[in-house]
Amino acid sequence: MKFSPMTIALASVILTASGSGIAQAQMAKNPMVGGAAMYPTKDIVDNAVNSKDHTTLVAAVKAAGLVDTLKSAGPFTVFAPTNAAFAKLPAGTVDTLLKPENKAKLTGILTYHVVPGKMNAKDIAAKAAANGGKAVLTTAQGEPLTVWQKGKDWYVTDAKGGSAKITIADVNQSNGVIHVIDTVLMP
Protein backbone atom coordinates (compact mmCIF):
# COMPACT_ATOMS: atom_id res chain seq x y z
CA MET A 1 0.00 0.00 0.00
CA LYS A 2 1.37 3.44 -0.95
CA PHE A 3 0.75 6.57 1.10
CA SER A 4 0.88 10.10 -0.24
CA PRO A 5 3.34 12.54 1.37
CA MET A 6 0.33 14.36 2.89
CA THR A 7 -0.94 11.13 4.49
CA ILE A 8 2.50 10.37 5.91
CA ALA A 9 2.88 13.90 7.26
CA LEU A 10 -0.60 13.78 8.80
CA ALA A 11 0.12 10.39 10.40
CA SER A 12 3.34 11.80 11.85
CA VAL A 13 1.49 14.80 13.33
CA ILE A 14 -1.22 12.57 14.79
CA LEU A 15 1.35 10.22 16.29
CA THR A 16 3.37 13.10 17.71
CA ALA A 17 0.26 14.55 19.32
CA SER A 18 -0.67 11.18 20.77
CA GLY A 19 2.54 11.08 22.84
CA SER A 20 3.37 7.46 22.05
CA GLY A 21 7.03 8.39 21.65
CA ILE A 22 8.77 5.05 21.20
CA ALA A 23 6.46 3.89 18.40
CA GLN A 24 5.69 7.20 16.70
CA ALA A 25 8.11 7.45 13.84
CA GLN A 26 7.68 3.90 12.67
CA MET A 27 4.70 4.69 10.39
CA ALA A 28 6.27 7.68 8.69
CA LYS A 29 9.03 7.01 6.18
CA ASN A 30 10.38 10.54 6.61
CA PRO A 31 9.08 11.71 10.00
CA MET A 32 8.60 15.43 10.56
CA VAL A 33 10.80 16.98 13.23
CA GLY A 34 10.72 20.71 13.85
CA GLY A 35 8.62 21.26 10.74
CA ALA A 36 11.03 19.48 8.41
CA ALA A 37 11.05 15.99 6.95
CA MET A 38 13.94 13.90 8.21
CA TYR A 39 15.53 11.82 5.47
CA PRO A 40 17.23 8.49 6.19
CA THR A 41 19.66 9.24 3.35
CA LYS A 42 21.07 12.29 5.19
CA ASP A 43 23.38 12.23 8.19
CA ILE A 44 22.53 13.42 11.70
CA VAL A 45 23.87 16.95 11.19
CA ASP A 46 22.33 17.47 7.74
CA ASN A 47 18.90 16.53 9.10
CA ALA A 48 19.22 18.42 12.39
CA VAL A 49 20.05 21.74 10.74
CA ASN A 50 16.62 21.67 9.06
CA SER A 51 14.67 21.18 12.30
CA LYS A 52 13.34 24.45 13.75
CA ASP A 53 13.14 22.62 17.11
CA HIS A 54 16.87 21.87 17.23
CA THR A 55 18.62 25.19 16.50
CA THR A 56 20.12 25.33 20.00
CA LEU A 57 21.40 21.77 19.70
CA VAL A 58 22.96 22.52 16.30
CA ALA A 59 24.63 25.67 17.69
CA ALA A 60 25.98 23.62 20.62
CA VAL A 61 27.28 20.86 18.33
CA LYS A 62 29.09 23.50 16.26
CA ALA A 63 30.52 25.24 19.37
CA ALA A 64 31.76 21.90 20.72
CA GLY A 65 33.43 21.02 17.41
CA LEU A 66 31.36 17.84 17.02
CA VAL A 67 30.02 18.46 13.50
CA ASP A 68 32.60 16.25 11.77
CA THR A 69 32.07 13.47 14.31
CA LEU A 70 28.30 13.47 13.84
CA LYS A 71 28.70 13.58 10.07
CA SER A 72 31.01 10.54 10.13
CA ALA A 73 29.91 6.99 9.37
CA GLY A 74 28.97 6.23 12.98
CA PRO A 75 26.58 4.69 13.59
CA PHE A 76 25.23 6.72 16.50
CA THR A 77 22.07 6.79 18.59
CA VAL A 78 21.38 10.41 19.53
CA PHE A 79 18.93 11.53 22.19
CA ALA A 80 18.32 15.00 20.75
CA PRO A 81 17.00 17.70 23.11
CA THR A 82 14.72 20.32 21.58
CA ASN A 83 15.06 24.09 21.96
CA ALA A 84 12.34 23.86 24.63
CA ALA A 85 14.49 21.32 26.49
CA PHE A 86 17.43 23.72 26.54
CA ALA A 87 15.08 26.51 27.66
CA LYS A 88 14.32 24.48 30.82
CA LEU A 89 17.94 24.95 31.97
CA PRO A 90 18.63 27.78 34.43
CA ALA A 91 18.83 31.21 32.81
CA GLY A 92 22.21 31.86 31.18
CA THR A 93 23.30 28.19 31.14
CA VAL A 94 23.24 27.78 27.37
CA ASP A 95 25.04 31.09 26.73
CA THR A 96 27.71 30.12 29.28
CA LEU A 97 28.17 26.65 27.77
CA LEU A 98 28.56 28.10 24.26
CA LYS A 99 31.59 30.18 25.32
CA PRO A 100 34.94 28.87 24.01
CA GLU A 101 36.33 28.46 27.52
CA ASN A 102 33.53 25.98 28.32
CA LYS A 103 34.04 23.79 25.25
CA ALA A 104 35.14 20.74 27.29
CA LYS A 105 32.06 20.90 29.54
CA LEU A 106 29.74 21.40 26.55
CA THR A 107 31.38 18.48 24.73
CA GLY A 108 30.85 16.28 27.80
CA ILE A 109 27.15 17.17 27.97
CA LEU A 110 26.60 16.65 24.25
CA THR A 111 28.47 13.33 24.06
CA TYR A 112 26.36 12.21 27.03
CA HIS A 113 23.40 12.33 24.60
CA VAL A 114 25.14 10.00 22.13
CA VAL A 115 25.32 6.20 22.34
CA PRO A 116 27.73 4.42 19.97
CA GLY A 117 25.86 2.13 17.57
CA LYS A 118 22.35 2.33 16.20
CA MET A 119 19.59 1.45 18.66
CA ASN A 120 16.09 1.92 17.32
CA ALA A 121 13.00 1.78 19.53
CA LYS A 122 12.61 -1.95 19.02
CA ASP A 123 16.22 -2.56 20.12
CA ILE A 124 15.80 -0.41 23.22
CA ALA A 125 12.51 -2.09 24.14
CA ALA A 126 14.08 -5.55 23.73
CA LYS A 127 17.07 -4.59 25.89
CA ALA A 128 14.73 -3.17 28.54
CA ALA A 129 12.56 -6.30 28.50
CA ALA A 130 15.65 -8.49 28.95
CA ASN A 131 16.83 -6.39 31.90
CA GLY A 132 13.82 -6.05 34.16
CA GLY A 133 12.23 -3.15 32.27
CA LYS A 134 15.28 -0.87 32.04
CA ALA A 135 17.86 -0.57 29.29
CA VAL A 136 21.17 0.81 30.55
CA LEU A 137 23.15 2.36 27.69
CA THR A 138 26.75 3.56 27.86
CA THR A 139 27.18 6.95 26.23
CA ALA A 140 30.07 8.23 24.12
CA GLN A 141 30.91 10.39 27.15
CA GLY A 142 31.38 7.20 29.17
CA GLU A 143 28.56 7.36 31.70
CA PRO A 144 25.29 5.43 31.59
CA LEU A 145 21.77 6.47 30.60
CA THR A 146 18.77 4.39 31.61
CA VAL A 147 15.81 4.03 29.24
CA TRP A 148 12.49 2.80 30.67
CA GLN A 149 8.78 2.78 29.94
CA LYS A 150 5.85 4.22 31.87
CA GLY A 151 2.48 3.49 30.28
CA LYS A 152 2.94 4.00 26.54
CA ASP A 153 5.72 6.56 26.98
CA TRP A 154 9.46 5.98 27.16
CA TYR A 155 11.91 8.00 29.25
CA VAL A 156 15.66 8.42 29.56
CA THR A 157 17.14 9.00 33.02
CA ASP A 158 20.56 10.58 33.45
CA ALA A 159 23.27 9.99 36.06
CA LYS A 160 21.85 12.75 38.28
CA GLY A 161 18.33 11.29 38.30
CA GLY A 162 16.82 13.74 35.82
CA SER A 163 14.47 12.29 33.20
CA ALA A 164 13.58 13.19 29.64
CA LYS A 165 10.58 11.89 27.70
CA ILE A 166 11.18 10.50 24.23
CA THR A 167 8.72 12.52 22.15
CA ILE A 168 9.66 11.23 18.70
CA ALA A 169 11.49 7.93 18.25
CA ASP A 170 13.23 6.24 15.34
CA VAL A 171 14.19 9.24 13.23
CA ASN A 172 16.53 7.24 11.01
CA GLN A 173 19.67 8.83 9.58
CA SER A 174 22.30 7.53 7.18
CA ASN A 175 24.70 7.24 10.13
CA GLY A 176 22.37 6.25 12.96
CA VAL A 177 19.11 7.20 14.59
CA ILE A 178 17.74 10.15 16.55
CA HIS A 179 15.24 9.96 19.40
CA VAL A 180 13.90 13.45 20.18
CA ILE A 181 13.71 14.24 23.92
CA ASP A 182 12.09 17.02 25.94
CA THR A 183 14.82 17.63 28.56
CA VAL A 184 18.59 18.05 28.47
CA LEU A 185 20.36 15.14 30.19
CA MET A 186 23.27 15.79 32.56
CA PRO A 187 26.24 13.51 33.24
Side-chain angles (χ1 to χ4, degrees):
M1 174 181 257
K2 280 193 130 182
F3 294 101
S4 72
M6 180 61 95
T7 302
I8 292 170
L10 182 58
S12 179
V13 169
I14 291 168
L15 287 171
T16 300
S18 75
S20 180
I22 204 79
Q24 280 178 28
Q26 294 177 3
M27 273 187 68
K29 185 172 182 176
N30 300 328
M32 299 293 287
V33 177
M38 299 288 114
Y39 297 98
T41 56
K42 292 185 177 184
D43 64 51
I44 291 166
V45 174
D46 288 345
N47 270 321
V49 297
N50 293 318
S51 169
K52 292 183 296 185
D53 291 344
H54 290 92
T55 57
T56 305
L57 178 61
V58 169
V61 166
K62 288 177 181 177
L66 295 173
V67 171
D68 289 341
T69 300
L70 293 175
K71 287 182 78 53
S72 71
F76 306 104
T77 299
V78 177
F79 294 95
T82 61
N83 295 342
F86 281 99
K88 290 180 183 179
L89 295 172
T93 300
V94 173
D95 290 336
T96 300
L97 287 170
L98 292 176
K99 291 181 179 178
E101 62 267 24
N102 295 318
K103 183 177 179 180
K105 185 172 185 172
L106 177 61
T107 300
I109 291 170
L110 293 175
T111 56
Y112 189 61
H113 289 78
V114 178
V115 174
K118 182 178 180 181
M119 294 197 70
N120 62 31
K122 186 177 177 182
D123 299 329
I124 293 169
K127 186 168 183 159
N131 293 293
K134 294 183 178 183
V136 178
L137 311 175
T138 302
T139 68
Q141 182 265 358
E143 292 188 42
L145 290 174
T146 303
V147 186
W148 52 280
Q149 185 176 19
K150 180 179 179 184
K152 291 183 179 183
D153 296 322
W154 284 82
Y155 295 86
V156 184
T157 301
D158 63 29
K160 295 187 177 189
S163 290
K165 181 179 176 182
I166 297 175
T167 57
I168 304 173
D170 287 347
V171 184
N172 289 302
Q173 318 290 297
S174 64
N175 61 345
V177 63
I178 289 176
H179 303 291
V180 178
I181 57 174
D182 69 353
T183 303
V184 176
L185 302 165
M186 291 295 179

